[in-house]
Amino acid sequence: MNTPVFTRTDPALGEFSLRPVDPAADAAVLHSWVTHPKAVFWLMQDCDLAAVEKEFARIDADPHHDAFLGLHNGTPAFLMERYDPAHRELVGIHVAEPGDIGMHFLCAPTDTPVHGFTHAVLTTVMEMLFADPATHRVVVEPDTRNTGVHALNKAVGFEIRRTVSLPSKDAYLSTCTRDQFLAARGDH
């Protein structure tokens, strides 16, 4: 389970890879991330270690939802969730098209941020998702108050489609096609 399923090298920042989350083995590191004040939009601030492990075990058992631990030069540094929007998160709100895939990501909190790191993480996530030829469009639903992620999403090609009301938040339903991602990277 610790074998990376995707790896890319960023010329400035080094190697980024993703492997499936192991709910039991990764619970402590994930708990420290999702309960940190900077992860307020993950809505897990009050979760204890057992609740975090239980949530990622639930995701692991769900055929329409996956979680991946992101590594930077071999060290845990980010989290990515992939889901089928026809079955999770956006059911009844977004009419999923064939090839749609939903995504969430979280960078590990740090007191020493590295310029360009979060953009490199999001680029890695998008490259992994689009490495699957069945993926035609990535769908996200970030909280409208999460201004930092909106700028990052725009930088990799996402377009806000509309504001939607979800049970836990008002969100910007946003999409990014393969072509939009490649254009944002400068790969026409």
Side-chain angles (χ1 to χ4, degrees):
M1 189 155 202
N2 287 326
T3 303
V5 295
F6 183 82
T7 300
R8 76 177 272 272
T9 300
D10 182 281
L13 297 171
E15 185 180 271
F16 290 85
S17 60
L18 292 116
R19 65 161 175 80
V21 163
D22 178 329
D26 297 329
V29 72
L30 295 174
H31 178 263
S32 71
W33 297 354
V34 300
T35 59
H36 190 279
K38 291 180 181 178
V40 66
F41 296 111
W42 280 68
L43 305 173
M44 298 182 80
Q45 299 293 293
D46 297 326
C47 289
D48 62 15
L49 183 64
V52 170
E53 181 177 346
K54 182 178 178 181
E55 173 62 9
F56 284 95
R58 183 194 63 75
I59 291 169
D60 188 48
D62 187 329
H64 304 289
H65 199 165
D66 303 296
F68 298 88
L69 188 71
L71 308 172
H72 175 239
N73 295 326
T75 300
F78 61 101
L79 171 66
M80 188 266 281
E81 292 182 17
R82 173 180 67 188
Y83 67 90
D84 182 343
H87 297 276
R88 297 289 170 266
E89 304 290 328
L90 297 169
V91 175
I93 294 168
H94 166 72
V95 178
E97 297 177 7
D100 277 1
I101 195 76
M103 178 271 292
H104 302 130
F105 82 101
L106 173 69
C107 287
T110 181
D111 293 327
T112 55
V114 174
H115 180 72
F117 184 82
T118 306
H119 186 272
V121 165
L122 184 52
T123 298
T124 300
V125 165
M126 296 295 283
E127 284 187 11
M128 177 190 167
L129 295 172
F130 284 126
D132 179 348
T135 299
H136 298 289
R137 184 170 70 165
V138 179
V139 180
V140 295
E141 30 42 67
D143 193 297
T144 56
R145 299 167 295 167
N146 192 348
T147 56
V149 84
H150 303 312
L152 282 165
N153 285 347
K154 184 176 181 180
V156 299
F158 279 97
E159 285 185 54
I160 296 173
R161 297 296 176 190
R162 67 183 190 278
T163 302
V164 296
S165 291
L166 300 174
S168 61
K169 64 186 176 183
D170 286 332
Y172 289 139
L173 177 66
S174 305
T175 62
C176 181
T177 65
R178 184 184 307 274
D179 288 343
Q180 287 172 310
F181 175 61
L182 293 175
R185 285 191 351 179
D187 299 343
H188 301 284

